Amino acid sequence: MKKVFRYQIVYLLLAGLFVLAVFMNINTGNVNISFGRILRIIFCGAESGAAEYNIIWKIRLPRLLSAAILGGALALSGFLLQTFFRNPIAGPFVLGISSGAKMFLAVTMIFLLRYIPSMPMWAQVAAAFIGSVLSLLYVLLFAGKVKSMSTLLVIGIMISYICSAVTDLCITFANDSDIANLTYWAMGSFSGSSWSTVRLSAVIVFPAALAAFLFAKPIGAYLLGEGYAKSMGIPIKFFRVCIITLSSILSACVTALAGPISFVGIAVPHITRMMMKTAKPGVIMPAIFLGGSVFCMFCDLAARTVFSPSELSIGTVTAVFGAPVVIWLMLSRKNSV
Amino acid sequence: MQREEQFYFRTDKLSVGYHGKPLLKDIELGIYKGQILTLIGPNGSGKSTILKNIIREMTPVGGAVMLEGKDIQNYGSREFAKQMSVVLTERVNTELLSCRDIVAMGRYPYTNYFGRLTKEDERIVDEALESVSALDIADKDFSQISDGQRQRIMLARAICQKPQVIVLDEPTSFLDIRHKIELLDILQKMAVKENVTVILSLHEIELANRISDLVMCVRSDGRLICGTPSEIFTDDIIRELYGIKSGSYNCLFGCTELERPEGAPKVFVAGGAGSGVSVYRRLQHFGIPFSAGILAENDCEYQVAKELAAEVASEKAFMAFSDNAFERACELIDDVSYVIDAGCPIGDTNLKMAELLEYAQKTDKIIFCKPTDKEIRHIKQMLAETGT
């Protein structure tokens, strides 16, 4: 019973932080708008047409929502990859999946923009998805051969370098306007978010996350290892394909819409597990999603306020908080590395 | 043919191996419900491979495994999970999962889509924990308990799955002797009381001897011998199975002796009724070849002397020691200069032992009575000095 109490506390805490993050994100910015006015603008639709109205409705709200949705997606995708590889430091960024998505997206963007003026957003997501699946297949090819988690990590980083090299090569031969577009995007940021970003990410992320939650039971059994999972009646091949597809969809969506964002996928699931003191997927998966949302919203807040008016890339902020977690994880399990 | 149909579990010309190449061919075995089958054999002979085929982790290269007259490949995965549960050798690395969480996963095939445990499930989990006497560690983190405790938890998980067949791959590997016995006790109870069929592989052949209804020996050359424990556990089959060349394994007692010291006997041990066993083993330890006598063939000590002594003067079972045996023993004493009196009690059948010791005294042999370790070391030194 003590355990259930702990779960409830953590969920309440996360919900509280979520509300706080929403509140702070909407209330902070280069233009100072009083809180009462914000409430009036949002709930009463007051001052329609005014600059403040546009700032709230067209900039702050979509940005906030996409940070929340994509942050949750990123954390969940990291959790799925950690389950799949039985490796606590697996994540879309360290395994080179984000870089693969980025490369494929850059290539398609450069070649496609010659024929059409702008690339539709869904096509960006599709390109990123193909890219992440391709680099994931590469990782899988090696993962079968290496058992040690640090080796897998090194392979992921190498794949990530190769992809970056190819991306740079493409940029060298691209038009100036494309470059501006690409470098900005490659930094990773929620600043370009519009309502269509929110809509598209909601349409992709929510069903994928729901599907992932429905796998909570087999994921739990999979924690014991493949042999045991199979003996309990899990169709192992089908399960593995589903997990890998879901995590690719989630991370590809993030990469396409906000650029590569590092370490959220590793740090958030671990912090959540530590807070809950359990690894039962049914309990922690929703918390991980919520935690990812909160984490990304606060990071985005930091990205746009710390050195305001200039903005940091979101990856810079997440790395500052996320990388120490990875180091700590590596050190705390000397034996199994 | 009709008999075969009655087997609850059997294999039909099963061939197992890797990449389509059979490692072991034409395995034919069958057991009834509630029986215990044990696979024994040296490391790397393929015991695990057979088990992997039985639990569907691998697909047979040829033939089939039949459960209740149905090929196991034709079972649905959930249906099969209700039939069979496993304890594997693969190491389970988890974090932040309590032992109870792990055991409760055994309910997997029975719980609903979200894996919610009902009151009944909770009760079964408690029962399983109790049957392996692990209730006290139920709430500890699985990653922080000892290997032996882990093995018990994994067994509880398998029990929790309420299977008809339970398959265990070397379940006793990490356990100390007390927990080995406890584990096999649990398995035996499950088989006898709950009519669960048990299939396991073991390294400890003496334990296999106690627990099994049927034993299959898997030899490194791929030959298989199957039979009841009394058929299998003969000194010759076991010696051959494991390729024991130096030393011995005694099936009657399940005891192991190291290699017999080489050379002509230097010491004669007058023992009996177990008094000489430790003397033999110490002499073996120091590499001193010895002879022994007079031992009745029904004396427990005879089994050990047979394996370690260069020569044994013996008498047939349940007979008073004859003059023949006495003379033989005197001959053996004549060949040595040291005699050890192990301190065997003297009764009706072995009255000749007193005479034998008198004979040794008369022929000026150096006699040690119930020697300590130090004295045996002393004998070794003296033997080395005289250069014999």
Side-chain angles (χ1 to χ4, degrees):
Chain A
M1 278 308 99
K2 239 176 106 187
K3 274 183 164 178
V4 178
F5 184 63
R6 180 179 265 277
Y7 305 156
Q8 284 168 345
I9 294 283
V10 172
Y11 270 103
L12 279 177
L13 181 77
L14 284 175
L17 282 173
F18 188 87
V19 173
L20 184 71
V22 169
F23 175 76
M24 286 177 71
N25 263 301
I26 221 164
N27 205 19
T28 331
N30 293 333
V31 181
N32 206 356
I33 311 173
S34 79
F35 188 55
R37 242 176 119 187
I38 290 173
L39 285 183
R40 272 201 303 282
I41 289 173
I42 293 177
F43 293 109
C44 312
E47 300 180 52
S48 136
E52 283 83 356
Y53 180 90
N54 281 342
I55 287 173
I56 298 292
W57 275 103
K58 294 205 174 142
I59 298 174
R60 288 192 193 166
L61 266 180
R63 180 170 184 161
L64 160 86
L65 287 175
S66 56
I69 295 170
L70 296 177
L74 212 47
L76 199 58
S77 150
F79 172 77
L80 292 176
L81 287 173
Q82 284 146 29
T83 309
F84 185 89
F85 287 103
R86 352 185 112 275
N87 188 331
I89 49 170
F93 193 79
V94 290
L95 289 179
I97 297 167
S98 300
S99 314
K102 177 175 139 187
M103 175 187 80
F104 206 80
L105 182 52
V107 173
T108 18
M109 220 185 234
I110 287 166
F111 288 100
L112 218 58
L113 284 181
R114 294 197 178 157
Y115 306 104
I116 49 173
S118 74
M119 195 172 170
M121 215 178 271
W122 62 264
Q124 289 182 24
V125 177
F129 177 69
I130 295 169
S132 40
V133 169
L134 284 181
S135 53
L136 193 56
L137 287 178
Y138 237 87
V139 177
L140 281 176
L141 199 71
F142 292 114
K145 291 183 187 140
V146 296
K147 289 278 169 270
S148 123
M149 84 181 189
S150 40
T151 316
L152 192 65
L153 186 74
V154 172
I155 289 171
I157 292 169
M158 290 309 132
I159 289 177
S160 153
Y161 273 115
I162 294 168
C163 291
S164 302
V166 175
T167 315
D168 288 347
L169 197 73
C170 292
I171 290 176
T172 317
F173 294 104
N175 297 326
D176 286 343
S177 61
D178 299 341
I179 294 173
N181 222 333
L182 263 176
T183 25
Y184 179 66
W185 169 83
M187 300 238 314
S189 170
F190 291 113
S191 66
S193 307
S194 63
W195 280 106
S196 52
T197 319
V198 175
R199 221 172 294 131
L200 186 64
S201 51
V203 165
I204 296 170
V205 169
F206 287 137
L210 194 69
F213 294 153
L214 293 181
F215 274 105
K217 187 183 169 189
I219 287 176
Y222 195 75
L223 291 177
L224 294 192
E226 218 164 282
Y228 281 112
K230 210 171 173 186
S231 83
M232 286 185 255
I234 297 175
I236 219 83
K237 275 186 188 147
F238 172 75
F239 172 77
R240 287 174 65 110
V241 170
C242 286
I243 293 298
I244 214 77
T245 314
L246 283 173
S247 75
S248 302
I249 291 176
L250 289 169
S251 67
C253 181
V254 178
T255 311
L257 298 177
I261 300 175
S262 52
F263 298 114
V264 179
I266 301 172
V268 174
H270 275 282
I271 295 169
T272 316
R273 261 190 288 248
M274 289 300 158
M275 287 201 297
M276 296 264 210
K277 287 213 170 130
T278 184
K280 278 198 242 171
V283 181
I284 57 167
M285 279 167 78
I288 286 172
F289 191 91
L290 201 56
S293 300
V294 171
F295 187 76
C296 269
M297 282 194 284
F298 277 117
C299 284
D300 188 39
L301 185 71
R304 64 198 178 88
T305 52
V306 173
F307 293 106
S308 158
S310 35
E311 252 194 46
L312 296 172
S313 80
I314 180 86
T316 315
V317 184
T318 54
V320 167
F321 293 110
V325 175
V326 177
I327 294 173
W328 168 64
L329 274 169
M330 295 286 282
L331 290 180
S332 66
R333 35 179 84 228
K334 269 184 203 132
N335 317 336
S336 52
V337 170
Chain B
M1 205 53 208
Q2 226 173 6
R3 194 178 148 80
E4 267 183 22
E5 285 309 310
Q6 295 168 1
F7 284 132
Y8 182 72
F9 172 92
R10 70 185 178 88
T11 56
D12 184 16
K13 293 205 179 69
L14 176 69
S15 298
V16 302
Y18 294 89
H19 312 298
K21 275 189 203 152
L23 182 71
L24 296 165
K25 271 190 275 188
D26 294 331
I27 306 168
E28 291 275 359
L29 44 84
I31 44 173
Y32 299 102
K33 200 160 172 25
Q35 282 198 313
I36 301 177
L37 163 70
T38 311
L39 305 185
I40 58 170
N43 287 330
S45 57
K47 297 186 299 274
S48 290
T49 316
I50 295 178
L51 290 181
K52 277 180 187 159
N53 278 272
I54 290 174
I55 65 171
R56 298 211 307 196
E57 198 178 317
M58 289 170 65
T59 1
V61 175
V65 180
M66 313 290 280
L67 187 63
E68 272 191 302
K70 184 173 161 187
D71 188 339
I72 57 165
Q73 304 298 332
N74 296 336
Y75 278 86
S77 52
R78 197 181 172 111
E79 189 191 357
F80 192 64
K82 288 182 184 177
Q83 290 289 330
M84 188 182 280
S85 72
V86 300
V87 175
L88 304 172
T89 40
E90 76 179 45
R91 211 181 155 78
V92 176
N93 283 316
T94 60
E95 265 185 290
L96 296 170
L97 282 178
S98 72
C99 295
R100 187 185 293 275
D101 291 338
I102 303 267
V103 174
M105 278 179 196
R107 299 304 297 158
Y108 191 94
Y110 302 92
T111 53
N112 70 4
Y113 194 89
F114 299 99
R116 193 177 176 79
L117 296 174
T118 61
K119 281 251 159 60
E120 174 70 6
D121 289 323
E122 300 275 9
R123 191 184 61 72
I124 294 171
V125 171
D126 279 336
E127 246 177 46
L129 278 165
E130 200 184 346
S131 68
V132 299
S133 42
L135 271 176
D136 52 328
I137 54 166
D139 292 314
K140 281 200 183 163
D141 193 312
F142 185 72
S143 59
Q144 281 160 11
I145 58 175
S146 71
D147 283 334
Q149 289 172 324
R150 283 181 188 206
Q151 198 64 356
R152 275 151 65 202
I153 294 296
M154 292 322 285
L155 177 65
R157 191 209 63 82
I159 291 172
C160 213
Q161 211 169 320
K162 289 280 169 202
Q164 300 301 313
V165 183
I166 183 165
V167 179
L168 308 96
D169 194 1
E170 285 169 21
T172 52
S173 298
F174 294 113
L175 305 183
D176 60 32
I177 184 69
R178 179 193 142 194
H179 289 119
K180 273 180 193 173
I181 294 169
E182 278 181 11
L183 184 116
L184 295 183
D185 255 347
I186 296 165
L187 292 178
Q188 197 168 43
K189 278 197 190 100
M190 282 176 72
V192 175
K193 286 190 182 155
E194 288 162 47
N195 217 14
V196 173
T197 309
V198 180
I199 301 171
L200 73 162
S201 63
L202 279 180
H203 269 308
E204 299 85 349
I205 40 185
E206 65 281 4
L207 295 177
N209 191 354
R210 307 291 185 279
I211 194 179
S212 320
D213 291 301
L214 191 72
V215 179
M216 184 155 93
C217 303
V218 186
R219 290 175 32 147
S220 339
D221 60 6
R223 259 183 59 203
L224 302 162
I225 312 162
C226 201
T228 60
S230 53
E231 288 164 2
I232 295 295
F233 291 101
T234 64
D235 294 0
D236 289 343
I237 290 185
I238 295 301
R239 196 191 292 262
E240 217 181 308
L241 173 64
Y242 285 94
I244 300 173
K245 291 196 188 91
S246 61
S248 78
Y249 180 80
N250 183 302
C251 281
L252 200 53
F253 296 118
C255 74
T256 326
E257 299 300 342
L258 300 180
E259 194 171 5
R260 188 198 316 259
E262 263 180 49
K266 303 274 191 293
V267 178
F268 179 87
V269 184
S275 60
V277 172
S278 59
V279 178
Y280 301 149
R281 291 193 179 141
R282 287 323 285 170
L283 288 171
Q284 188 278 336
H285 181 86
F286 291 116
I288 305 168
F290 63 93
S291 52
I294 308 167
L295 297 172
E297 280 167 14
N298 61 332
D299 190 330
C300 57
E301 192 175 318
Y302 176 71
Q303 302 288 341
V304 180
K306 199 175 68 177
E307 300 300 345
L308 291 180
E311 306 274 353
V312 184
S314 63
E315 182 55 75
K316 288 195 196 74
F318 300 110
M319 301 289 280
F321 289 177
S322 63
D323 289 338
N324 248 347
F326 180 72
E327 273 161 34
R328 173 90 179 104
C330 290
E331 277 167 29
L332 290 175
I333 289 179
D334 289 341
D335 291 340
V336 302
S337 31
Y338 301 97
V339 172
I340 292 176
D341 173 13
C344 171
I346 307 231
D348 283 345
T349 56
N350 69 345
L351 286 170
K352 285 259 180 344
M353 287 306 280
E355 272 178 58
L356 192 66
L357 288 169
E358 273 170 35
Y359 176 80
Q361 236 156 14
K362 263 190 276 171
T363 47
D364 289 334
K365 303 294 171 191
I366 306 168
I367 300 178
F368 293 87
C369 192
K370 293 192 202 169
T372 59
D373 203 49
K374 209 171 153 190
E375 282 170 307
I376 294 178
R377 206 183 290 264
H378 184 59
I379 297 176
K380 182 183 161 67
Q381 275 163 4
M382 288 196 294
L383 282 171
E385 274 164 34
T386 53
T388 44

